[in-house]
Structures are given as structure tokens and as C-alpha cells.
Amino acid sequence: MSKPKNVWKIFFKDKKHGGHRCSSEEFLSLEAREKLFHLDGGKTLLDFGCGSAELLTYYALEYEQLVGVDFSPSMLEEASKRIEKKKCQNINLILADHETLWKNLDSSFDRITAAGVIQYLTFQEIDTFIFEASKYLNKDGKIVFFDILDSRLYPLWKIGVFSRDTNVFKILCKIGFEFRTMISASFKNRPKDILGFSHNPYTIEKIANKHGFKMTYVQSMYYEYKYHAIMRKT
């Protein structure tokens, strides 16, 4: 599995908002509540790929100290504004990607999380991320990856199977559109899907087990084609 170098950095360079289904505070509050349930405690938290801190500011209500990390300067600029507006004084922000993150840390955490980010990493990069993250995880800590594209369900979502008004004709049209998009992407040497890679949960589980973690996965409440991977040291 490969991707053009820095393609995701280019894509997110000027983005200012995360890819949530709805940007209303009501929806973000519900989404954060679900994620806090799976994070299940702890006092310190590292949020990799925090974006504009739409979820991070809700996490801040439950944690003593938080660090938000993103490789997009525009996202972190929006995150700073949101943090100031929400008066969250327990959040620090770091500009880094999955490779440079670790040398910027000077403490360990009870929870290390990432939401809607893992699909932009290859399996090898996920392997390295879990290995490095384990070094900065406190005793009884957890690594939780939220909203991973499910390779079994995501293709069905893309062709409209989960739509309210779906029918055979619409599904066939979307299949044709997706096929043309993939062919075009191949000729232009760009990603076949700008939303990233879809990952089978059992493959993620094998990687987690390799590094001494027991993993469980649960379906996302708000995205029918995504799942959460919850990892705890065995």
C-alpha cells in the first residue's frame, strides 16, 4: 500500500474544520460523549490529529492536562481560536506529524487517541505509531483509534447502500462513478480515495497484539461505515 509523498499534508494544508458529519455544537457534544465513554477515564490525554479541536475542547472538561497534535498549521490556528473561546487552559498544541510527534513530547499519558486519522496511515505507519505510542503510555493506559474506515462497510456506504432513498439505479450509477474515479486517479498518480485507506479491524488487531496490546473494536455510533479500535496493554 503506497501513497504519493505528502499528499495528505497538501490536502489538509488550508483546511480549517474536521470531517465531522455535522458541525453543530449539539452533534459535536454527542460525538465527544461517545468517545469519552470509550476513553473511559485517565487524567492526561494526547490527541493526535486534533484538527481544529472540535472534540479536544470537550475532552478538556474531563481531563487535567491535554496535548493536541496536528500537521496542518491552518487547523492548529483554528484550534487555538476555539480553545481560547472555550477558555480551555489545560490544552497545549503541537505542530507535528506521525513521524515527528514523538521527539516533541516530554511526558507520558494515560490515554493516546486519534479520531478520523488512522485512514491516512499505511499498515506499516500504524505499526510504527503503536510501537512509539506504547513508550509514552502510562501504566493501565489505553490507545484508542476512533472512526477508522471499515474495509467491509465503507465500499457499501460509498455506493449508497445506507442512504434513505437508495435504489438499484442509484447504486449502479454510484458504482460507475467510483470506477471512473479510481481509473482517473491511477492515470493521474493521485490517491484513489481522498478520505484515505480503509482498514480491516482484524489487521489492526494483529498489529496491536504484536506490540502487547489486547484490542477490541466497536461500531461507531455516528458513522455507519467506521469503527473504533480500543487497545490496552495485556
Side-chain angles (χ1 to χ4, degrees):
M1 185 180 294
S2 63
K3 63 180 185 299
K5 188 175 181 180
N6 297 325
V7 65
W8 308 127
K9 286 188 178 182
I10 295 172
F11 178 70
F12 283 104
K13 180 181 178 182
D14 300 316
K15 300 291 183 182
K16 295 185 177 182
H17 301 287
H20 302 278
R21 173 160 284 174
C22 180
S23 60
S24 72
E25 289 298 328
E26 180 182 9
F27 179 83
L28 292 174
S29 176
L30 290 172
E31 187 178 333
R33 190 182 307 171
E34 178 209 12
K35 289 171 168 55
L36 284 166
F37 173 81
H38 293 302
L39 287 168
D40 188 28
K43 295 182 179 180
T44 56
L45 179 142
L46 169 69
D47 184 10
F48 175 68
C50 67
S52 55
E54 290 161 313
L55 294 175
L56 188 59
T57 49
Y58 283 101
Y59 297 163
L61 301 174
E62 303 294 332
Y63 287 86
E64 294 180 3
Q65 192 62 44
L66 307 93
V67 174
V69 181
D70 206 283
F71 61 59
S72 169
S74 60
M75 284 287 202
L76 288 187
E77 182 179 350
E78 292 301 311
S80 295
K81 294 177 183 177
R82 183 176 176 86
I83 289 168
E84 183 177 358
K85 180 180 179 181
K86 295 282 186 176
K87 296 182 171 57
C88 299
Q89 299 181 354
N90 56 341
I91 299 177
N92 293 320
L93 297 175
I94 295 176
L95 178 66
D97 60 20
H98 62 284
E99 295 177 326
T100 60
L101 162 62
W102 312 109
K103 66 181 181 182
N104 285 282
L105 300 178
D106 55 11
S107 63
S108 56
F109 301 88
D110 297 325
R111 301 290 185 267
I112 296 177
T113 186
V117 175
I118 297 306
Q119 63 261 37
Y120 298 111
L121 302 182
T122 64
F123 286 130
Q124 182 57 54
E125 290 169 335
I126 294 171
D127 187 305
T128 301
F129 186 95
I130 293 175
F131 172 72
E132 294 292 345
S134 66
K135 301 176 184 178
Y136 292 87
L137 199 63
N138 292 333
K139 184 179 179 181
D140 298 323
K142 294 168 67 175
I143 299 173
V144 185
F145 294 154
F146 290 118
D147 297 327
I148 304 173
L149 297 179
D150 193 326
S151 58
R152 304 163 303 174
L153 298 175
Y154 183 52
L156 299 179
W157 176 81
K158 289 187 72 176
I159 63 174
V161 170
F162 299 125
S163 300
R164 291 183 180 181
D165 60 345
T166 189
N167 58 52
V168 174
F169 177 74
K170 289 183 177 180
I171 288 176
L172 290 175
C173 287
K174 287 192 175 183
I175 290 175
F177 173 79
E178 292 297 331
F179 181 74
R180 289 196 300 273
T181 300
M182 291 176 61
I183 296 298
S184 176
S186 297
F187 280 116
K188 295 180 180 180
N189 192 30
R190 58 179 173 79
K192 295 179 180 179
D193 191 334
I194 203 63
L195 288 184
F197 307 118
S198 56
H199 296 312
N200 188 296
Y202 298 114
T203 304
I204 303 296
E205 184 178 22
K206 287 181 181 178
I207 297 172
N209 293 163
K210 170 185 173 182
H211 295 292
F213 287 90
K214 180 179 180 181
M215 188 194 110
T216 57
Y217 79 92
V218 296
Q219 186 74 26
S220 170
M221 288 180 61
Y222 299 103
Y223 304 91
E224 58 276 355
Y225 54 98
K226 296 181 179 181
Y227 66 93
H228 310 319
I230 304 164
M231 292 165 269
R232 188 188 291 274
K233 274 287 187 180
T234 56

